[in-house]
């Protein structure tokens, strides 16, 4: 076994601390394990951490109930809970603290962020918290604002250990060190001992690069004489600032003034590197650890970075390397228009606000929990598993025994596969676990970009993607609707020419911003959309056409290269270790959400609550995501593999997102969950014994009829989960819950939940067909088996007429099967109503589950399940003739021809996998064709 890199840091003089704390983490023994095995030497906390821990878990509920019944208010409850956690953590570190003679083993608690601009109140609260904790190895955190400086000085004079937080600029760091020295000198004049007073100065790093890098990137895209300089400065400013801060540290604490204090027992105020998780996917995930290893320093990291460094850290003393380069970096920033002092002022103001908002939310949350405690408990997740409960509980016990939750958060690929090659791929797909945390620091940039777009005069946004790149934007647009704070959003994820023409009619291109979204940067459809609208704008605006385009992709893709060549307004690079269907909280979801005016902070806050509810220290039997995933897998093993969603109208679009997540993640190796979304609810007698119902109850809506239907299903013995959403922003918590649940289900089923091995097959078939078109000028097509009533059938197995052919096809169903309608037609309300009527007819007569998807969308969603999952599907593929096609620039084909090739390509793929599939061509009149289809189905069903 290779040496633990974390232990090597201590030998190099650096203390590693953890930026995380919650009660279950302490009580489970996880914190003690990190101290003993990884050499952890401290913990920091802040209001954001407590807000997520208290709001996203049940750890504190019993204490809240007791304190509420004692008449305590929200502020008193918070302080009681926080102080209790800090005491428990300091007691775990106390042996280390004593062994190191007080030099380390500290735990930090922050004063209320509402006091960041109030010196006197900060001093009073620091005194109270210090006394309440009553431990020598505690730190009280005070923001390093101008108002905080005299508070630091006063508290040091009184012998209170202080962690000075929210430092960004070098001039302010000098003032903080001065305040510390002044406090020590005053304490010495008071005749008080200095040897038990400790302090750190917390320098925040990644936030600096997050603010500066987009400005530099824009300079690079603009070209000109400063582009090369700007490119060289990207990702360098934070590390340069830290290296120069350490030089200031050596100057101050190596000088005569401190030597006089050291002779009386004083300790230096160590520099602490904070905000050390990497937010830019182009950078190493241990960038802000690796570059800043040096003596007499502290690095406080989140769990993800701690785990990453344990896995692949390379410790060496690098803090004092390239000091001259660091000086050059800061000196040359004005040449590219960046005032570093203004940057640090902005970051300080944003930092104060960033802690203030979650603290206020925490007070609101505690007030609500307090009221609920006095009124009685309310369940957010009601689970009714009936006869299956025993098997599910046994599965949860097994997951707990194998330490599933902690291994999930450590990104252990052996939870899914034992083969090293497969494990390497899985490891590259687990970055979604920490996305809500990482993206919080990207919000200022997204807000600034949105303001830039609006001020440039854009009046509409067209998002162009497929699958995971488009389903989150579809969910946000359809669930939240137009927002007065943002721009109208249209999502294009179909090669249907009529839909593209409709967008052109409704959205003038010269007033639109076009987002081209593709993780790989090679996805056929969004690249074709981009080429079409770019050509239109190029004719009108020449080289300036790029101003109308944004790319969202992974680093190093062809799309990123194209964006730079065409000078797109912006290229947002997402994290490569996040798969498309797990990318809701990456730029793929947040860029369109920002532009349409959604409150991104609120979305991420809701996601973070669920993140903590499913956290690494929450046992499997208490973990909402793991419980749901274990239940789905066990029910599937018992034959109930049709996960059927009951959704209020306001959040029906969630079904599309859930379909892809479940189907593409689990539908492989002949296994899989079959998501059933959008199927109209019915009486219990209609359903077979293969269903697991999930009712997502939106508390702010009218749920009467769905409540009744869910209760009827429960009484009939169907397993049922009821998940409660307070409002539509709770969709964010559900996105995270279902990601955890899907990963868990994949593990239990024994499949890799992060690959999609069968998706490419249909794409290759379509590409081959299009190559033939380019050669021969026509799309090759097999001879139909029937043509009647305006319908043309392909793949039918005999029968004298259409009715008998359909009857024979549907007669091939087996118990536990489902019927899938795959429609390569224009998506609109009329088509939707017609196909839903046919779908209902099939379900109610055959008593089978039904699914419905538009092509080519479903190819990037449920298509993996269709070909790689269990052979339980009867597939009715529907195609139609186009009125007039639209050419794709540079392709010698049109969008509708591409759509036809995609339909035939998937038809061939399904048949190659031995699936039961029938293609029905509806003819040129879609309305008449759908009516004929429904009539034919009705006749075939008798």
């Amino acid at each position: 076994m290779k040496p633990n890199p974390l232990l090597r840091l201590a030998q190099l003089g650096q203390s590693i601390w953890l930026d995380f704390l919650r009660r279950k983490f302490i009580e489970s023994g996880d914190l003690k394990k990190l101290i003993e095995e990884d050499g952890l030497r401290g913990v920091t906390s802040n209001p954001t951490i407590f807000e997520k821990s208290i709001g996203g878990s049940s750890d504190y509920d019993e204490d809240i109930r007791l304190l509420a019944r004692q008449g305590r208010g929200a502020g008193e409850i918070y302080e009681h809970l926080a102080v209790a956690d800090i005491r428990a953590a300091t007691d775990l570190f106390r042996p280390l603290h004593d062994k190191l003679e007080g030099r380390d083993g500290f735990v930090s608690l922050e004063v209320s962020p509402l006091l960041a601009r109030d010196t006197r109140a900060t001093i009073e609260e620091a005194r109270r918290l210090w006394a309440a904790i009553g431990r020598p190895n505690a730190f009280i955190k005070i923001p390093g604002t101008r108002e905080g400086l005299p508070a630091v000085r006063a508290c040091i004079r009184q012998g209170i250990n202080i962690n000075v937080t929210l430092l960004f600029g070098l001039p302010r760091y000098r003032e903080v060190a001065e305040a510390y020295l002044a406090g020590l000198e005053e304490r010495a004049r008071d005749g008080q001992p200095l040897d038990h007073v400790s302090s750190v100065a917390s320098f925040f790093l990644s936030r600096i690069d997050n603010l500066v890098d987009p400005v530099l990137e824009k300079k690079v895209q603009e070209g000109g004489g400063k582009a090369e300089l700007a490119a060289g400065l990207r990702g360098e400013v934070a590390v340069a600032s830290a290296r120069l801060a350490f030089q200031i540290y050596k100057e101050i604490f190596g000088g005569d003034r401190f030597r006089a204090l050291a002779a009386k027992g004083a300790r230096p105020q160590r520099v602490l590197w904070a905000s050390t998780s990497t937010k830019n996917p182009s950078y190493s995930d241990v960038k802000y650890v690796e570059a800043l290893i040096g003596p007499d320093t502290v690095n406080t990291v989140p769990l993800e970075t701690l785990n990453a460094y344990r896995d692949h850290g390379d410790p060496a003393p690098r803090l004092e390397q390239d000091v001259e380069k660091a000086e050059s970096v800061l000196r040359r920033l004005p040449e590219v228009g960046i005032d570093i002092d203004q940057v640090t002022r902005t970051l300080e103001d944003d930092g104060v606000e960033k802690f203030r908002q979650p603290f206020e939310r925490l007070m609101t949350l505690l007030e609500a929990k307090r009221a609920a405690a006095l009124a009685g408990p309310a369940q957010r997740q009601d689970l009714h598993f009936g006869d299956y409960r025993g098997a599910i509980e046994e599965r949860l016990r097994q997951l707990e025994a194998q330490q599933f939750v902690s291994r999930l958060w450590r990104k252990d690929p052996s939870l899914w596969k034992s083969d090293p090659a497969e494990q390497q791929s899985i490891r590259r797909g687990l970055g979604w676990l920490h996305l809500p945390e990482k993206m919080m620091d990207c919000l200022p940039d997204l807000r600034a970009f949105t303001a830039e777009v609006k001020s440039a005069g854009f009046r509409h946004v067209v998002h162009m993607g497929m699958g995971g790149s488009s389903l989150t934007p579809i969910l946000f647009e359809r669930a939240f609707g137009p927002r007065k704070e943002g721009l109208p959003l249209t999502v294009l994820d179909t090669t249907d020419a009529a839909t593209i023409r409709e967008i052109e009619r409704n959205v003038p291109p010269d007033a639109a911003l076009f987002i081209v979204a593709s993780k790989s940067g090679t996805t056929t459809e969004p690249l074709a959309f981009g080429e079409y609208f770019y050509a239109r704008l190029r004719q009108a605006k020449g080289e300036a056409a790029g101003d109308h385009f944004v790319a969202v992709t992974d680093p190093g893709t062809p799309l990123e290269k194209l964006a730079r060549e065409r000078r797109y307004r912006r290229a947002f690079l997402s994290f490569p270790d996040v798969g498309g269907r797990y990318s809701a909280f990456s730029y793929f979801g947040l860029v369109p959400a920002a532009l349409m005016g959604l409150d991104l902070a609120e979305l991420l806050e809701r996601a973070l609550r669920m993140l903590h509810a499913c956290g690494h220290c929450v046992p499997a039997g208490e973990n909402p995501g793991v419980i749901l995933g274990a239940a789905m897998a066990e029910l599937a093993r018992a034959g109930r593999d049709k996960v059927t969603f009951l959704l209020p109208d306001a959040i029906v679009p969630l079904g599309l997102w859930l379909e892809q997540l479940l189907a593409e993640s689990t539908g492989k190796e002949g296994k899989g969950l079959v998501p059933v979304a959008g199927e109209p609810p019915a009486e219990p007698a209609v359903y077979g014994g293969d269903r697991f119902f999930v009712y997502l109850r939106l508390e702010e809506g009218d749920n009467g009829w769905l409540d009744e239907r869910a209760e009827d299903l429960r009484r009939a013995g169907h397993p049922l989960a009821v998940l409660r959403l307070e409002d539509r922003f709770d969709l964010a918590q559900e996105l995270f819950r279902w990601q955890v649940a899907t990963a868990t289900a994949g593990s239990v089923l024994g499949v890799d939940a992060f690959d999609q091995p069968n998706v490419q097959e249909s794409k290759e078939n379509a590409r081959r067909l299009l190559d033939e078109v380019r050669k021969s000028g026509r799309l090759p097509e097999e001879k139909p088996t029937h043509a009647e009533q305006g319908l043309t059938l392909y793949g039918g197995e005999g029968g004298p007429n259409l009715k008998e052919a359909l009857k024979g096809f549907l007669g091939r169903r087996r118990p536990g099967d489902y019927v899938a309608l795959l429609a390569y037609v224009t998506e609109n309300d009329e088509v939707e109503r017609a196909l839903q009527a046919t779908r209902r007819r099939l379900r109610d007569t055959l008593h089978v589950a039904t699914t419905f998807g538009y092509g080519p969308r479903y190819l990037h969603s449920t298509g993996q399940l269709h070909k790689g999952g269990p052979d339980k599907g009867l597939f009715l593929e529907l195609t139609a003739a186009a009125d007039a096609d639209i050419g794709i620039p540079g392709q010698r084909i049109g969008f509708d021809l591409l759509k036809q090739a995609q339909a035939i390509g998937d038809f061939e793929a399904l048949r190659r996998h031995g699936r039961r599939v029938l293609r029905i061509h509806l003819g040129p009149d879609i309305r008449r064709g759908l009516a004929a289809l429904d009539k034919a189905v009705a006749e075939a069903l008798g």
Side-chain angles (χ1 to χ4, degrees):
M1 182 180 293
K2 69 174 185 178
N4 187 338
L6 293 165
L7 298 176
R8 174 69 177 142
L9 291 176
Q11 298 169 9
L12 296 172
Q14 185 169 80
S15 297
I16 199 79
W17 289 8
L18 183 67
D19 192 28
F20 176 77
L21 188 65
R22 67 179 277 187
R23 185 156 299 176
K24 190 75 75 178
F25 182 52
I26 301 167
E27 295 174 347
S28 67
D30 288 351
L31 178 56
K32 188 173 186 289
K33 184 178 180 181
L34 292 181
I35 296 170
E36 294 172 348
E37 297 182 5
D38 291 327
L40 190 71
R41 290 194 166 190
V43 163
T44 55
S45 69
N46 59 52
T48 302
I49 290 172
F50 275 111
E51 192 261 337
K52 305 302 177 303
S53 298
I54 295 171
S57 76
S58 59
D59 297 9
Y60 303 86
D61 288 358
E62 185 57 35
D63 277 6
I64 293 172
R65 280 193 290 270
L66 291 172
L67 293 165
R69 289 165 186 165
Q70 293 171 13
R72 306 284 187 93
E76 294 174 293
I77 292 174
Y78 162 69
E79 192 166 309
H80 177 94
L81 300 177
V83 166
D85 281 5
I86 298 297
R87 281 177 176 168
T90 53
D91 289 345
L92 283 178
F93 280 104
R94 186 62 182 271
L96 174 67
H97 183 75
D98 293 342
K99 178 183 176 181
L100 298 176
E101 298 179 341
R103 291 191 299 274
D104 225 327
F106 294 98
V107 182
S108 298
L109 176 64
E110 188 154 351
V111 297
S112 166
L114 305 180
L115 309 178
R117 304 298 184 186
D118 189 329
T119 301
R120 184 181 297 277
T122 296
I123 295 170
E124 292 174 356
E125 178 146 322
R127 285 177 186 156
R128 189 178 72 256
L129 292 176
W130 175 252
I133 297 169
R135 304 292 191 272
N137 57 325
F139 268 129
I140 305 301
K141 290 174 76 171
I142 294 177
T145 58
R146 186 158 301 283
E147 296 84 356
L149 294 174
V152 171
R153 178 173 177 169
C155 290
I156 292 297
R157 179 179 184 177
Q158 294 170 34
I160 301 172
N161 295 336
I162 299 297
N163 176 344
V164 188
T165 186
L166 285 181
L167 299 180
F168 299 96
L170 300 179
R172 179 55 53 82
Y173 169 56
R174 280 189 178 275
E175 293 175 330
V176 166
E178 162 66 30
Y180 175 65
L181 294 179
L184 289 176
E185 288 166 343
E186 291 170 353
R187 183 168 176 80
R189 286 196 292 270
D190 293 341
Q192 297 296 318
L194 306 184
D195 56 341
H196 294 303
V197 183
S198 295
S199 181
V200 292
S202 297
F203 214 92
F204 282 52
L205 299 177
S206 66
R207 296 189 195 179
I208 298 175
D209 284 340
N210 289 347
L211 190 61
V212 170
D213 279 358
V215 180
L216 296 171
E217 178 63 30
K218 192 167 184 179
K219 293 288 183 184
V220 173
Q221 292 177 348
E222 290 171 353
K226 299 298 181 181
E228 185 176 352
L229 172 60
L233 294 174
R234 281 182 304 197
E236 297 289 340
V237 179
V239 168
S241 298
R243 285 177 168 158
L244 296 181
F246 188 69
Q247 295 304 307
I248 296 172
Y249 164 83
K250 291 202 307 180
E251 170 199 330
I252 292 174
F253 292 97
D256 293 340
R257 183 179 178 188
F258 180 72
R259 273 197 290 269
L261 292 165
K264 299 176 183 178
R267 295 191 175 101
Q269 182 189 54
R270 290 181 293 172
V271 180
L272 180 150
W273 313 127
S275 184
T276 53
S277 65
T278 305
K279 311 303 191 302
N280 189 321
S282 300
Y283 303 155
S284 163
D285 57 356
V286 293
K287 171 184 175 71
Y288 300 106
V289 181
E290 209 83 294
L292 300 175
I293 301 169
D296 302 323
T297 58
V298 179
N299 198 315
T300 182
V301 297
L303 272 167
E304 182 187 26
T305 306
L306 185 84
N307 291 333
Y309 203 80
R310 184 196 300 108
D311 180 69
H312 51 266
D314 179 25
R318 301 184 180 91
L319 180 55
E320 297 195 76
Q321 294 178 357
D322 298 324
V323 173
E324 291 183 1
K325 178 184 175 183
E327 292 172 342
S328 173
V329 166
L330 296 194
R331 185 175 61 251
R332 302 202 69 182
L333 283 175
E335 296 180 41
V336 289
I338 294 176
D339 180 344
I340 190 63
D341 291 333
Q342 179 59 48
V343 167
T344 57
R345 284 193 295 270
T346 298
L347 286 168
E348 180 183 296
D349 291 341
D350 288 348
V352 170
E353 184 67 11
K354 187 174 180 179
F355 283 155
R356 182 190 65 79
Q357 288 182 347
F359 187 79
E360 290 180 340
R361 277 194 296 269
L362 176 57
M363 292 300 105
T364 302
L365 176 71
L366 281 172
E367 196 57 57
K369 279 183 171 273
R370 177 179 176 275
L374 295 174
Q379 290 293 326
R380 294 295 297 275
Q381 177 172 282
D382 298 329
L383 306 174
H384 308 281
F385 296 141
D387 295 340
Y388 304 95
R389 177 171 296 280
I392 294 168
E393 289 177 347
E394 176 57 29
R395 175 61 63 181
L396 290 167
R397 284 191 288 270
Q398 292 174 17
L399 291 172
E400 186 62 25
Q402 71 183 84
Q403 298 180 310
F404 176 84
V405 177
S406 62
R407 289 169 62 195
L408 168 67
W409 285 93
R410 287 196 178 198
K411 303 180 182 178
D412 181 352
S414 68
L415 290 171
W416 294 273
K417 291 293 179 181
S418 57
D419 179 74
E422 291 178 297
Q423 288 184 358
Q424 188 62 27
S425 172
I426 292 168
R427 192 176 283 111
R428 292 195 296 268
L430 286 162
W432 56 271
L433 283 162
H434 294 276
L435 264 182
E437 297 168 309
K438 288 181 175 179
M439 296 305 293
M440 269 294 188
D441 284 346
C442 301
L443 298 191
D445 177 41
L446 285 169
R447 294 188 190 106
F449 178 71
T450 300
E452 172 195 320
V453 167
K454 291 167 72 175
S455 67
F458 290 102
R459 300 194 301 276
H460 207 108
V461 177
V462 178
H463 183 282
M464 303 178 296
M466 294 299 298
S469 300
S470 64
L471 288 172
T472 304
I474 287 174
L475 170 60
F476 288 157
E477 189 276 326
R478 295 186 183 178
F480 288 93
R483 319 283 289 182
K484 65 179 181 180
E485 304 88 353
L487 300 172
L489 174 69
T490 297
V491 180
L492 173 59
D493 71 334
T494 178
T495 47
D496 179 66
T499 301
I500 296 170
R501 281 194 294 269
E502 182 70 15
I503 290 173
E504 285 190 275
R505 282 194 292 270
N506 295 331
V507 182
D510 61 350
L513 182 73
F514 295 88
I515 301 173
V516 186
S518 167
K519 178 176 170 60
S520 67
T522 60
T523 310
T524 298
E525 297 92 339
L527 293 185
F529 303 149
E531 288 301 313
Y532 179 75
F533 285 106
Y534 183 81
R536 292 286 309 278
L537 282 158
R538 181 69 186 268
Q539 289 178 343
K541 299 205 167 190
E543 293 292 336
D547 286 344
H548 286 255
F549 287 83
V550 171
V552 183
T553 187
D554 280 3
T557 67
L559 179 55
E560 182 195 3
K561 181 181 177 183
L562 181 69
R564 297 194 188 286
E565 289 173 352
R566 291 180 172 176
R567 298 185 185 277
Y568 281 9
R569 179 170 289 272
R570 184 71 181 272
F572 288 95
L573 304 184
S574 198
F575 292 90
D577 61 349
V578 179
R581 58 187 176 275
Y582 291 87
S583 65
F585 301 113
S586 73
Y587 285 125
F588 285 101
L590 297 188
V591 170
L595 291 168
M596 66 176 286
L598 283 182
D599 185 341
L600 300 189
E602 188 62 31
L603 279 173
L604 292 179
E605 288 293 341
R606 303 294 181 95
L608 283 166
R609 288 184 190 174
M610 184 56 69
L611 182 153
H612 284 270
C614 300
H616 64 97
C617 56
V618 181
E622 301 174 18
N623 192 304
V626 174
I627 293 170
L628 182 59
M632 286 194 295
E634 283 303 310
L635 289 166
R637 288 158 62 94
R640 288 190 177 266
D641 57 352
K642 312 304 186 301
V643 184
T644 304
F645 297 101
L646 305 178
L647 300 170
D649 290 344
I651 59 171
V652 160
L654 178 62
L656 286 175
W657 187 89
L658 289 166
E659 274 184 334
Q660 187 201 21
L661 181 68
L662 291 181
E664 199 167 83
S665 298
T666 68
K668 57 204 74 169
E669 300 179 33
K671 308 171 186 176
L673 303 169
V674 179
V676 181
E679 190 183 62
E683 297 290 335
V686 164
Y687 300 110
D690 58 349
R691 303 276 193 153
F692 168 36
F693 291 94
V694 181
Y695 172 25
L696 288 103
R697 189 182 196 278
L698 187 62
E699 302 292 309
E700 68 177 3
D702 181 6
N703 300 285
W705 71 279
L706 276 177
D707 287 346
E708 293 176 10
R709 182 65 69 231
E711 180 61 16
D712 290 342
L713 292 167
R714 185 192 67 78
R715 288 175 178 166
H718 290 288
L720 169 72
V722 181
L723 311 178
R724 302 177 187 277
L725 291 71
E726 290 296 328
D727 55 35
R728 281 172 292 179
F729 277 97
D730 268 352
L731 285 167
Q733 80 173 14
E734 292 308 316
L735 300 186
F736 196 86
R737 184 209 304 264
W738 283 92
Q739 288 173 342
V740 174
T742 302
T744 304
S747 176
V748 174
L749 294 172
V751 299
D752 178 353
F754 310 104
D755 70 348
Q756 46 280 335
N758 300 108
V759 168
Q760 191 62 28
E761 185 175 353
S762 294
K763 297 180 183 179
E764 293 297 335
N765 287 344
R767 188 175 293 119
R768 174 180 50 79
L769 290 166
L770 291 171
D771 286 342
E772 293 188 32
V773 170
R774 294 183 180 100
K775 292 176 184 177
S776 66
R778 59 187 297 273
L779 189 67
E781 197 164 11
E782 66 181 86
K783 184 179 179 181
T785 54
H786 292 86
E788 187 180 329
Q789 301 176 30
L791 304 178
T792 308
L793 270 66
Y794 298 86
E797 296 184 359
N801 53 39
L802 174 64
K803 171 186 173 181
E804 293 302 319
L806 268 175
K807 184 176 180 180
F809 174 74
L810 295 172
R812 297 172 64 190
R813 73 187 184 282
R814 301 183 294 261
D817 280 349
Y818 67 99
V819 176
L821 295 175
L822 311 176
Y824 287 84
V825 297
T826 302
E827 182 177 358
N828 58 46
D829 291 342
E830 186 177 14
V831 168
E832 185 85 13
R833 284 192 297 271
L835 286 173
Q836 284 287 24
T838 302
R839 179 183 186 183
R840 189 183 297 110
R841 187 186 302 281
L842 288 163
R843 181 200 60 193
D844 294 354
T845 306
L846 300 176
H847 300 285
V848 295
T850 61
T851 66
F852 169 43
Y854 287 101
R857 177 191 293 149
Y858 80 83
L859 292 176
H860 301 259
S861 176
T862 54
Q864 169 62 44
L865 171 75
H866 297 163
K867 293 176 280 290
D871 183 15
K872 294 185 176 184
L874 285 83
F875 302 97
L876 277 172
E877 185 180 89
L878 310 176
T879 56
D883 292 336
D885 207 349
I886 299 176
I888 302 172
Q891 294 282 325
R892 290 168 40 199
I893 60 171
F895 282 105
D896 263 315
L897 189 59
L898 171 59
K899 185 176 71 171
Q900 291 176 51
Q902 290 172 314
I904 297 171
D906 194 48
F907 182 62
E908 291 180 359
L910 287 165
R911 287 205 296 191
R912 190 173 295 121
H913 282 271
R915 300 317 198 212
R916 293 158 289 173
V917 57
L918 189 68
R919 181 163 79 91
I920 304 177
H921 191 69
L922 302 173
D925 188 330
I926 299 296
R927 179 186 300 176
R928 180 176 297 175
L930 290 173
L933 171 68
D934 191 58
K935 179 183 177 184
V937 168
E939 292 175 349
L941 293 173

